[in-house]
Structure formats: C-alpha cells, structure tokens
Amino acid sequence: MFLDDEEPTIPRYAIAESELDAEWDRFVVAVGKAKDDVGALRDRAVREMGQEHGAIFDSHLVMLEDPDLLESIEESLRSSLLNMEWIVHQYAQAIVKRLEGLDDPVLQERTVDVHDITRRILNHLMFRERFSLADLSSDVVLVARNLLPSDMIAMNRSMVRAIVMDAGGKTSHTAILARAFEIPAVLGLGGSARAIKNGEVVIVDGNTGDVRVQPDPQTLERYERIRARMAERDETLSGLASLPARTLDGKDVLIKANIEVPEETGSVLRHGAQGIGLFRSEFLFLQPGRAPSEESQFAAYGRVIEAMGDRPVTIRTLDVGGDKVVPDLAIEEEKNPLLGWRAIRYCLSDKELFQSQLRAILRASVSGDARIMFPMISGPVELDSALAQLEEAKAECRRRGQGFREDIPVGIMIEVPSAAMIADILAPKVDFFSIGTNDLIQYTIAVDRGNERVAYLHEPFHPAVVRLVKKVIDDGHAAGIPVSMCGEMASDPFAAVVLLGLGLDEFSMSAVSVPDVKRTIRSIGFAEAEAVANEVLKLSSHRETEEFLAKRLADRVSRDG
Ligand code: PEP
Ligand code: MG
C-alpha cells in the first residue's frame, strides 16, 4: 500500500455532487481545528513573551475567519467538484502568486502567513488519511515517503508485513520501532519507494536492504529459502537465552533490551535479555488520544517492572521533540527541532507533566528493580535541575503516603557531546551513565539521523565518536559508576567487541539483536577485545576501522548470523 504523505503532494480527485456537503463540512472542521491551534499558540506566546508577540497569531485568526476566504473556497468547491485539499492548495497558490506580483514588500511578506494558515488547514484535512493506518485490515507492505514514529504507534501493526520508505536512516525512531515490532524495513531509499505501485508484489529484505518489486518465480523461491534459513537460525540462537553474556576468559557483561511499548516484555524475555536498559517512555505519549495521566503511567511502568521480575528496568523520562512529535503537548514547529525544545529541556519547562511522570515511576519502583534515567543532559546545571525535580516528586509521594524506593538509582543518557566532554563532572552526581550513540553521533558529526541524504556520515567508528565513548567509560569508572550503551551501535557485533574492550559494562539494544551480541561476547576473550580496542584507537577513520575489524574478527564474529 502506498501512503502518499509527501507534504507538497496534494491529492486531487473528483467528488460527486452528493458529496459536496460532506466535503464542505470537512473544511469547516479543519478550519476550526486550525483556529484552535493558532489560539493556543497565541496564548502561549503572550504568556511567555508578552502581549505584542500575540499579534502575528491574531492576524492568522483574522485570516482564518475571513468571509472572502470561506466564500471563494465554497465557490471553487461547487464549481470544480474536486476534493477539498486540492481546492485549498489551489487557493493558496493563487493568493501567493498575486501577492508576489505586487511591489509592496510588506504585502509580499504576507505570503508566509498564507502558507502558514493553508498548511495548517491542509494538515488537518489530511490527518484523517494518515490516521487510517489504524484501520488496516489486510496484510500490506507499507510504502511511504516518510512514516513518523507516531504513525508507527497508531497503525494496526499486525497487518504490516514490511515497510519501505524513501526517508529515514538506520537509527531514526521509525527504524527503531520497526525493529521493536519485528517488522522488516528498508529505509532511506531516497525516491525509489515512490516508484512502487499499489498492488505490486514486493520482497523486503530488512537484513541486506534489498527491495524487489514484482520478482520472478525463481527470486520468490530463493527468498522463501532465505526466510526458512532465518527461522532456523533464530531457533538456534534462542538456545542462548538462558546463558550469561560471559567472555571466553570469564568476564561478565550485561545485555539488556530497549523497549518502546510495554507489550514488548514478552519478546525481551524470549530473546534472553537480562533486563531493560532503556524504556523509551515517550511512546506512551505518542499513542492516539490524550497524554497519559499519572495513574495510567503508573500502571504501564508497573506492568513492565512486574513482567521483568527481579531483572532491572531503566525508565527514561519523556524524550519528546526532535522527530517524536506528541500532538497533545502542542510543541509547535521549530526551525531546528533536533537542537530545540527536546527531552529534558521540555520536561523542565512543563513542571506538572514532569512531576506526574516522576511520581508514576517512583510509585511503580516498589514492584521490582526500577531505575530512572534523564535524556539529553547537556550540562551540570540542567542535571541539577532534573535531580531537584526528582527530590520534589519524592517529597510529594511521601506527603501523599505513597510508597517508593528511596534509593532508586538515577542515571543519565550521555548523548550530547558537551556531556561526554565533561563526563568527569557529571559522574559524581549520578549512579550510572548510558551512552546514546544515535544522538551522540548525530550531534558530534552534525548529521541528522533521519536524513537519508547524509546517512552515510552516521559513522559509529568515526575516531571522534570512539574517543568520546572511551572518555565516558573511563570517566564513569573513575567515579565508580557503571557505564552502559543503549544506542544502536551496541547492537552491532563488531562494535560490541570494541566496546567490550573499552570496558563497557552493559549493552542495551532492540530485543531481536540480543542473541547475536550475546553470541559475540561469548565467542571472544576480554583480553583479546582489549587488544582490538587498542588497535582501533590508533586508526584514523571509520573506513579503516571497518576494514580492520572485518579482517581481525573474520573467523569468529559475523554480522549476519
Ligand atoms: C540514543 O540517542 O542513542 C538513544 C538511545 O536514544 P533515542 O534513540 O531514543 O534518541
Ligand atoms: Mg537519544
């Protein structure tokens, strides 16, 4: 199924005369929602920055209520008998053209406002289509330009056999969710996904990144054989589930899993993970409907902690923003969302939301071995503020007489280069570090992790990344705290050897990757891993390191089972 989600691609189709009223109603509803958005933005701008900053939004409200706009849209609808998205789009084009043709720079600038309000209306008109992913009722290979993490959460996943996308990279949240849901996915095709048509047969090989459209019978047969082999391999690897992650010379590390939704605990246990190293709690907030209350979060965290028995569960506080947009939180579009109002920055500015999450985690902590982790910490002041909020949440639980684990361990993600550089300053303040390489690489190399055009630059073995990782491990150990990694780098068997050699204590990854990494750890000695890591530290590029590891580990470590 092709999901036409590219913003500038506006659907155009004819409608029957009998559908005119329904089409007009759709427009009225969309305008109403656009007005609600603008009203909320205006209120916040006034609250946070002063009365004068509300003016721009007031002018947008005037435009949305303009009788001329409503009249000309209705007229075009009735005369053209075309769908509303197309009519709104055409209207915007015509106005923009007219304004651009004028000599007056002030009026020319109004084109931005026209774009803004029509885009808002279009978003609401088209939202229904994206949301229909929840209604999928037969098996599909989902082909799209870009599926958002919220689409992944909303869709009826049981019907999605595979995903093919033009946008995205291996560490984008859409890719991470596809792995969590065990849906084969190939992302970052950069345009070729669009060529696939509805109804065509598609083979998607998530391991190699191959996508075959309308394969011949021999190819189909070959892939059936590959599928059978993969199933056999999974069967063999499942024998490792109950074994420790112990090197040949007896060093133990921990291999845990990352989860996005509570239902994943079954898969975590089946794959032999020794705990949950990262529960991305924000995905509870991406479910359709309202942001979850303290009580429903308490229930969700409790479910996960109980399901894991005495195994540790690290719950990361809300990491919204960036590519994880939560409609209910009304984080308006930003120019640089990845550098913007994200994660801990957002939480520290929405005290009520943060406090309710912290209380929910604290209260659930009595059900097992829970830990709290803050995302995107960039410096000590931010960390102190987060820790102060935690103390406040504890005080409130005490006041209410609600039990919690007083000594609940508290850690931070190290995923911003500034935090990595001052890991020695941050370490004494917390109980553990967890390195988030997806973001650490993104911010160190300045490469948007979701942008397929620069995906080739997302290099885990870039010497800058390797050195930062080493520094974080060394600084953590010097302060006597364990260091984990929950970025995708930890799930690569070659990287696992290097990380083991650098002294990493815990590895956390998608549940499906756990058996492979466990097998890798069990197939090498710690002393040898240290020697490998020391060699890697001398190399000067990602490519050199890849070549070195391929040669050095060829006889023992395999990346594809
Ligand atoms: C990371 O950045 O490496 C990480 C684990 O967090 P997320 O992928 O959710 O940003
Ligand atoms: Mg991150």
Side-chain angles (χ1 to χ4, degrees), residues 173 176 278 280 282 316 319 324 342-343 375-376 413-416 435-440 442-443 449 486-487:
H173 286 103
I176 289 169
L278 168 64
R280 292 181 162 100
E282 55 276 11
R316 178 175 73 183
D319 181 3
K324 288 175 285 196
R342 231 196 112 172
M376 281 279 290
M413 301 269 309
I414 300 284
E415 51 185 346
V416 180
I435 307 174
T437 45
N438 305 336
D439 279 314
L440 186 61
Q442 160 166 270
Y443 295 127
R449 60 196 266 193
C486 57

PDB file of all heavy atoms in Angstrom, residues 173 176 278 280 282 316 319 324 342-343 375-376 413-416 435-440 442-443 449 486-487, ligand 2:
ATOM      1  N   HIS A 173      13.894   6.989  14.594  1.00  0.00           N
ATOM      2  CA  HIS A 173      12.980   6.306  15.514  1.00  0.00           C
ATOM      3  C   HIS A 173      12.006   5.395  14.790  1.00  0.00           C
ATOM      4  O   HIS A 173      11.529   4.414  15.350  1.00  0.00           O
ATOM      5  CB  HIS A 173      12.262   7.319  16.404  1.00  0.00           C
ATOM      6  CG  HIS A 173      13.173   7.863  17.458  1.00  0.00           C
ATOM      7  ND1 HIS A 173      13.746   9.100  17.375  1.00  0.00           N
ATOM      8  CD2 HIS A 173      13.667   7.274  18.581  1.00  0.00           C
ATOM      9  CE1 HIS A 173      14.535   9.281  18.419  1.00  0.00           C
ATOM     10  NE2 HIS A 173      14.515   8.191  19.164  1.00  0.00           N
ATOM     11  N   ILE A 176      13.870   2.219  14.506  1.00  0.00           N
ATOM     12  CA  ILE A 176      13.959   1.590  15.829  1.00  0.00           C
ATOM     13  C   ILE A 176      12.637   0.904  16.180  1.00  0.00           C
ATOM     14  O   ILE A 176      12.604  -0.224  16.664  1.00  0.00           O
ATOM     15  CB  ILE A 176      14.329   2.651  16.894  1.00  0.00           C
ATOM     16  CG1 ILE A 176      15.798   3.069  16.698  1.00  0.00           C
ATOM     17  CG2 ILE A 176      14.106   2.131  18.306  1.00  0.00           C
ATOM     18  CD1 ILE A 176      16.231   4.274  17.492  1.00  0.00           C
ATOM     19  N   LEU A 278      16.670   0.461  28.531  1.00  0.00           N
ATOM     20  CA  LEU A 278      16.058   1.722  28.084  1.00  0.00           C
ATOM     21  C   LEU A 278      14.593   1.471  27.762  1.00  0.00           C
ATOM     22  O   LEU A 278      14.271   0.721  26.845  1.00  0.00           O
ATOM     23  CB  LEU A 278      16.776   2.242  26.822  1.00  0.00           C
ATOM     24  CG  LEU A 278      16.087   3.382  26.059  1.00  0.00           C
ATOM     25  CD1 LEU A 278      15.999   4.639  26.911  1.00  0.00           C
ATOM     26  CD2 LEU A 278      16.828   3.704  24.748  1.00  0.00           C
ATOM     27  N   ARG A 280      11.792   3.606  26.424  1.00  0.00           N
ATOM     28  CA  ARG A 280      11.545   4.935  25.844  1.00  0.00           C
ATOM     29  C   ARG A 280      10.118   5.354  26.198  1.00  0.00           C
ATOM     30  O   ARG A 280       9.189   5.150  25.414  1.00  0.00           O
ATOM     31  CB  ARG A 280      11.724   4.900  24.335  1.00  0.00           C
ATOM     32  CG  ARG A 280      13.165   4.676  23.859  1.00  0.00           C
ATOM     33  CD  ARG A 280      13.237   4.691  22.335  1.00  0.00           C
ATOM     34  NE  ARG A 280      14.573   4.893  21.829  1.00  0.00           N
ATOM     35  CZ  ARG A 280      15.373   3.911  21.383  1.00  0.00           C
ATOM     36  NH1 ARG A 280      14.971   2.670  21.392  1.00  0.00           N
ATOM     37  NH2 ARG A 280      16.587   4.198  20.904  1.00  0.00           N
ATOM     38  N   GLU A 282       8.439   7.900  26.126  1.00  0.00           N
ATOM     39  CA  GLU A 282       7.676   8.857  25.314  1.00  0.00           C
ATOM     40  C   GLU A 282       6.653   8.182  24.403  1.00  0.00           C
ATOM     41  O   GLU A 282       5.694   8.787  23.968  1.00  0.00           O
ATOM     42  CB  GLU A 282       8.603   9.754  24.482  1.00  0.00           C
ATOM     43  CG  GLU A 282       9.587   9.053  23.571  1.00  0.00           C
ATOM     44  CD  GLU A 282      10.858   8.637  24.303  1.00  0.00           C
ATOM     45  OE1 GLU A 282      10.885   8.713  25.541  1.00  0.00           O
ATOM     46  OE2 GLU A 282      11.813   8.222  23.635  1.00  0.00           O
ATOM     47  N   ARG A 316      13.379   5.723  31.035  1.00  0.00           N
ATOM     48  CA  ARG A 316      13.871   7.050  30.667  1.00  0.00           C
ATOM     49  C   ARG A 316      12.704   8.021  30.686  1.00  0.00           C
ATOM     50  O   ARG A 316      11.629   7.714  30.161  1.00  0.00           O
ATOM     51  CB  ARG A 316      14.480   7.011  29.260  1.00  0.00           C
ATOM     52  CG  ARG A 316      14.958   8.372  28.812  1.00  0.00           C
ATOM     53  CD  ARG A 316      15.658   8.315  27.484  1.00  0.00           C
ATOM     54  NE  ARG A 316      14.737   8.105  26.387  1.00  0.00           N
ATOM     55  CZ  ARG A 316      15.127   7.956  25.128  1.00  0.00           C
ATOM     56  NH1 ARG A 316      16.409   7.951  24.821  1.00  0.00           N
ATOM     57  NH2 ARG A 316      14.253   7.784  24.168  1.00  0.00           N
ATOM     58  N   ASP A 319      11.230  11.790  26.369  1.00  0.00           N
ATOM     59  CA  ASP A 319      12.156  12.369  25.384  1.00  0.00           C
ATOM     60  C   ASP A 319      11.359  12.750  24.145  1.00  0.00           C
ATOM     61  O   ASP A 319      11.424  12.085  23.119  1.00  0.00           O
ATOM     62  CB  ASP A 319      13.249  11.334  25.044  1.00  0.00           C
ATOM     63  CG  ASP A 319      14.268  11.862  24.035  1.00  0.00           C
ATOM     64  OD1 ASP A 319      14.166  13.041  23.648  1.00  0.00           O
ATOM     65  OD2 ASP A 319      15.155  11.100  23.632  1.00  0.00           O
ATOM     66  N   LYS A 324      10.061  13.069  17.432  1.00  0.00           N
ATOM     67  CA  LYS A 324       8.955  12.462  18.173  1.00  0.00           C
ATOM     68  C   LYS A 324       7.965  13.547  18.583  1.00  0.00           C
ATOM     69  O   LYS A 324       8.149  14.230  19.591  1.00  0.00           O
ATOM     70  CB  LYS A 324       9.486  11.711  19.395  1.00  0.00           C
ATOM     71  CG  LYS A 324      10.213  10.435  18.987  1.00  0.00           C
ATOM     72  CD  LYS A 324      10.845   9.720  20.148  1.00  0.00           C
ATOM     73  CE  LYS A 324      12.092  10.390  20.621  1.00  0.00           C
ATOM     74  NZ  LYS A 324      12.925   9.541  21.486  1.00  0.00           N
ATOM     75  N   ARG A 342      13.578  19.890  23.320  1.00  0.00           N
ATOM     76  CA  ARG A 342      13.504  18.434  23.300  1.00  0.00           C
ATOM     77  C   ARG A 342      13.746  17.861  24.681  1.00  0.00           C
ATOM     78  O   ARG A 342      14.437  18.464  25.489  1.00  0.00           O
ATOM     79  CB  ARG A 342      14.657  17.947  22.396  1.00  0.00           C
ATOM     80  CG  ARG A 342      14.313  16.988  21.328  1.00  0.00           C
ATOM     81  CD  ARG A 342      15.566  16.294  20.791  1.00  0.00           C
ATOM     82  NE  ARG A 342      15.540  14.888  21.173  1.00  0.00           N
ATOM     83  CZ  ARG A 342      16.397  13.981  20.743  1.00  0.00           C
ATOM     84  NH1 ARG A 342      17.366  14.329  19.931  1.00  0.00           N
ATOM     85  NH2 ARG A 342      16.304  12.737  21.133  1.00  0.00           N
ATOM     86  N   ALA A 343      13.207  16.675  24.899  1.00  0.00           N
ATOM     87  CA  ALA A 343      13.599  15.842  26.039  1.00  0.00           C
ATOM     88  C   ALA A 343      13.602  16.597  27.369  1.00  0.00           C
ATOM     89  O   ALA A 343      12.629  17.237  27.724  1.00  0.00           O
ATOM     90  CB  ALA A 343      14.952  15.202  25.742  1.00  0.00           C
ATOM     91  N   PRO A 375      17.111  11.969  29.774  1.00  0.00           N
ATOM     92  CA  PRO A 375      17.688  12.070  28.427  1.00  0.00           C
ATOM     93  C   PRO A 375      18.270  13.453  28.127  1.00  0.00           C
ATOM     94  O   PRO A 375      17.887  14.438  28.764  1.00  0.00           O
ATOM     95  CB  PRO A 375      16.456  11.841  27.529  1.00  0.00           C
ATOM     96  CG  PRO A 375      15.312  12.387  28.313  1.00  0.00           C
ATOM     97  CD  PRO A 375      15.654  12.208  29.782  1.00  0.00           C
ATOM     98  N   MET A 376      19.188  13.487  27.173  1.00  0.00           N
ATOM     99  CA  MET A 376      19.678  14.757  26.588  1.00  0.00           C
ATOM    100  C   MET A 376      20.284  15.739  27.584  1.00  0.00           C
ATOM    101  O   MET A 376      20.200  16.954  27.370  1.00  0.00           O
ATOM    102  CB  MET A 376      18.508  15.478  25.906  1.00  0.00           C
ATOM    103  CG  MET A 376      18.134  14.959  24.556  1.00  0.00           C
ATOM    104  SD  MET A 376      19.173  15.583  23.246  1.00  0.00           S
ATOM    105  CE  MET A 376      18.718  17.292  23.150  1.00  0.00           C
ATOM    106  N   MET A 413      21.505   9.804  30.264  1.00  0.00           N
ATOM    107  CA  MET A 413      21.983   9.455  28.937  1.00  0.00           C
ATOM    108  C   MET A 413      23.147  10.394  28.635  1.00  0.00           C
ATOM    109  O   MET A 413      23.076  11.591  28.914  1.00  0.00           O
ATOM    110  CB  MET A 413      20.908   9.742  27.878  1.00  0.00           C
ATOM    111  CG  MET A 413      19.614   9.031  28.046  1.00  0.00           C
ATOM    112  SD  MET A 413      19.538   7.462  27.205  1.00  0.00           S
ATOM    113  CE  MET A 413      20.041   7.794  25.545  1.00  0.00           C
ATOM    114  N   ILE A 414      24.187   9.829  28.050  1.00  0.00           N
ATOM    115  CA  ILE A 414      25.252  10.691  27.528  1.00  0.00           C
ATOM    116  C   ILE A 414      25.085  10.641  26.018  1.00  0.00           C
ATOM    117  O   ILE A 414      25.428   9.650  25.365  1.00  0.00           O
ATOM    118  CB  ILE A 414      26.644  10.195  27.945  1.00  0.00           C
ATOM    119  CG1 ILE A 414      26.782  10.153  29.473  1.00  0.00           C
ATOM    120  CG2 ILE A 414      27.729  11.073  27.316  1.00  0.00           C
ATOM    121  CD1 ILE A 414      26.985  11.479  30.161  1.00  0.00           C
ATOM    122  N   GLU A 415      24.497  11.705  25.484  1.00  0.00           N
ATOM    123  CA  GLU A 415      24.194  11.703  24.053  1.00  0.00           C
ATOM    124  C   GLU A 415      24.414  13.066  23.406  1.00  0.00           C
ATOM    125  O   GLU A 415      24.131  13.266  22.236  1.00  0.00           O
ATOM    126  CB  GLU A 415      22.771  11.206  23.801  1.00  0.00           C
ATOM    127  CG  GLU A 415      21.690  11.878  24.614  1.00  0.00           C
ATOM    128  CD  GLU A 415      20.309  11.246  24.405  1.00  0.00           C
ATOM    129  OE1 GLU A 415      20.117  10.477  23.454  1.00  0.00           O
ATOM    130  OE2 GLU A 415      19.411  11.554  25.215  1.00  0.00           O
ATOM    131  N   VAL A 416      24.902  13.997  24.221  1.00  0.00           N
ATOM    132  CA  VAL A 416      25.243  15.321  23.691  1.00  0.00           C
ATOM    133  C   VAL A 416      26.755  15.450  23.894  1.00  0.00           C
ATOM    134  O   VAL A 416      27.261  15.134  24.980  1.00  0.00           O
ATOM    135  CB  VAL A 416      24.499  16.428  24.480  1.00  0.00           C
ATOM    136  CG1 VAL A 416      24.841  17.794  23.940  1.00  0.00           C
ATOM    137  CG2 VAL A 416      22.998  16.195  24.447  1.00  0.00           C
ATOM    138  N   ILE A 435      25.236   5.526  27.319  1.00  0.00           N
ATOM    139  CA  ILE A 435      25.645   6.302  26.143  1.00  0.00           C
ATOM    140  C   ILE A 435      24.632   6.103  25.024  1.00  0.00           C
ATOM    141  O   ILE A 435      24.343   4.974  24.616  1.00  0.00           O
ATOM    142  CB  ILE A 435      27.045   5.870  25.652  1.00  0.00           C
ATOM    143  CG1 ILE A 435      28.048   5.927  26.810  1.00  0.00           C
ATOM    144  CG2 ILE A 435      27.501   6.744  24.484  1.00  0.00           C
ATOM    145  CD1 ILE A 435      29.425   5.369  26.462  1.00  0.00           C
ATOM    146  N   GLY A 436      24.067   7.209  24.550  1.00  0.00           N
ATOM    147  CA  GLY A 436      23.085   7.149  23.455  1.00  0.00           C
ATOM    148  C   GLY A 436      23.787   7.528  22.163  1.00  0.00           C
ATOM    149  O   GLY A 436      23.866   8.696  21.800  1.00  0.00           O
ATOM    150  N   THR A 437      24.295   6.520  21.484  1.00  0.00           N
ATOM    151  CA  THR A 437      25.112   6.847  20.307  1.00  0.00           C
ATOM    152  C   THR A 437      24.282   7.365  19.136  1.00  0.00           C
ATOM    153  O   THR A 437      24.830   8.020  18.250  1.00  0.00           O
ATOM    154  CB  THR A 437      25.905   5.624  19.829  1.00  0.00           C
ATOM    155  OG1 THR A 437      25.028   4.505  19.815  1.00  0.00           O
ATOM    156  CG2 THR A 437      27.090   5.370  20.712  1.00  0.00           C
ATOM    157  N   ASN A 438      22.990   7.049  19.115  1.00  0.00           N
ATOM    158  CA  ASN A 438      22.206   7.549  17.982  1.00  0.00           C
ATOM    159  C   ASN A 438      22.281   9.069  17.945  1.00  0.00           C
ATOM    160  O   ASN A 438      22.517   9.682  16.901  1.00  0.00           O
ATOM    161  CB  ASN A 438      20.741   7.114  18.105  1.00  0.00           C
ATOM    162  CG  ASN A 438      20.606   5.617  18.252  1.00  0.00           C
ATOM    163  OD1 ASN A 438      21.499   4.885  17.840  1.00  0.00           O
ATOM    164  ND2 ASN A 438      19.521   5.165  18.848  1.00  0.00           N
ATOM    165  N   ASP A 439      22.083   9.664  19.114  1.00  0.00           N
ATOM    166  CA  ASP A 439      22.180  11.121  19.174  1.00  0.00           C
ATOM    167  C   ASP A 439      23.623  11.595  19.299  1.00  0.00           C
ATOM    168  O   ASP A 439      23.988  12.624  18.736  1.00  0.00           O
ATOM    169  CB  ASP A 439      21.364  11.657  20.357  1.00  0.00           C
ATOM    170  CG  ASP A 439      19.892  11.752  19.992  1.00  0.00           C
ATOM    171  OD1 ASP A 439      19.600  12.256  18.891  1.00  0.00           O
ATOM    172  OD2 ASP A 439      19.050  11.301  20.775  1.00  0.00           O
ATOM    173  N   LEU A 440      24.447  10.853  20.036  1.00  0.00           N
ATOM    174  CA  LEU A 440      25.838  11.306  20.211  1.00  0.00           C
ATOM    175  C   LEU A 440      26.529  11.429  18.839  1.00  0.00           C
ATOM    176  O   LEU A 440      27.240  12.400  18.573  1.00  0.00           O
ATOM    177  CB  LEU A 440      26.614  10.344  21.117  1.00  0.00           C
ATOM    178  CG  LEU A 440      28.022  10.805  21.488  1.00  0.00           C
ATOM    179  CD1 LEU A 440      27.995  12.123  22.264  1.00  0.00           C
ATOM    180  CD2 LEU A 440      28.766   9.751  22.305  1.00  0.00           C
ATOM    181  N   GLN A 442      24.921  11.787  15.966  1.00  0.00           N
ATOM    182  CA  GLN A 442      24.225  12.875  15.268  1.00  0.00           C
ATOM    183  C   GLN A 442      24.805  14.237  15.619  1.00  0.00           C
ATOM    184  O   GLN A 442      25.079  15.065  14.751  1.00  0.00           O
ATOM    185  CB  GLN A 442      22.750  12.820  15.640  1.00  0.00           C
ATOM    186  CG  GLN A 442      21.965  14.081  15.415  1.00  0.00           C
ATOM    187  CD  GLN A 442      20.471  13.855  15.494  1.00  0.00           C
ATOM    188  OE1 GLN A 442      19.852  13.565  14.493  1.00  0.00           O
ATOM    189  NE2 GLN A 442      19.895  13.976  16.678  1.00  0.00           N
ATOM    190  N   TYR A 443      25.000  14.467  16.928  1.00  0.00           N
ATOM    191  CA  TYR A 443      25.453  15.791  17.349  1.00  0.00           C
ATOM    192  C   TYR A 443      26.970  15.965  17.199  1.00  0.00           C
ATOM    193  O   TYR A 443      27.447  17.082  17.012  1.00  0.00           O
ATOM    194  CB  TYR A 443      25.023  16.055  18.797  1.00  0.00           C
ATOM    195  CG  TYR A 443      23.517  16.130  18.966  1.00  0.00           C
ATOM    196  CD1 TYR A 443      22.852  15.353  19.907  1.00  0.00           C
ATOM    197  CD2 TYR A 443      22.752  16.975  18.163  1.00  0.00           C
ATOM    198  CE1 TYR A 443      21.466  15.424  20.061  1.00  0.00           C
ATOM    199  CE2 TYR A 443      21.377  17.046  18.300  1.00  0.00           C
ATOM    200  CZ  TYR A 443      20.734  16.273  19.247  1.00  0.00           C
ATOM    201  OH  TYR A 443      19.373  16.353  19.388  1.00  0.00           O
ATOM    202  N   ARG A 449      20.091  12.223  12.028  1.00  0.00           N
ATOM    203  CA  ARG A 449      19.988  10.768  11.978  1.00  0.00           C
ATOM    204  C   ARG A 449      18.820  10.277  11.130  1.00  0.00           C
ATOM    205  O   ARG A 449      18.747   9.100  10.787  1.00  0.00           O
ATOM    206  CB  ARG A 449      19.869  10.207  13.408  1.00  0.00           C
ATOM    207  CG  ARG A 449      18.676  10.717  14.164  1.00  0.00           C
ATOM    208  CD  ARG A 449      18.800  10.456  15.648  1.00  0.00           C
ATOM    209  NE  ARG A 449      18.157   9.225  16.050  1.00  0.00           N
ATOM    210  CZ  ARG A 449      17.908   8.882  17.310  1.00  0.00           C
ATOM    211  NH1 ARG A 449      18.260   9.692  18.290  1.00  0.00           N
ATOM    212  NH2 ARG A 449      17.321   7.766  17.608  1.00  0.00           N
ATOM    213  N   CYS A 486      23.004   2.377  25.097  1.00  0.00           N
ATOM    214  CA  CYS A 486      21.689   1.951  24.609  1.00  0.00           C
ATOM    215  C   CYS A 486      21.424   2.459  23.198  1.00  0.00           C
ATOM    216  O   CYS A 486      20.314   2.347  22.698  1.00  0.00           O
ATOM    217  CB  CYS A 486      20.592   2.372  25.569  1.00  0.00           C
ATOM    218  SG  CYS A 486      20.558   4.141  25.877  1.00  0.00           S
ATOM    219  N   GLY A 487      22.452   3.029  22.558  1.00  0.00           N
ATOM    220  CA  GLY A 487      22.301   3.421  21.150  1.00  0.00           C
ATOM    221  C   GLY A 487      22.469   2.189  20.270  1.00  0.00           C
ATOM    222  O   GLY A 487      22.964   1.148  20.721  1.00  0.00           O
TER     223      GLY A 487
HETATM  224 MG    MG B   2      18.690   9.849  22.095  1.00  0.00          MG
END
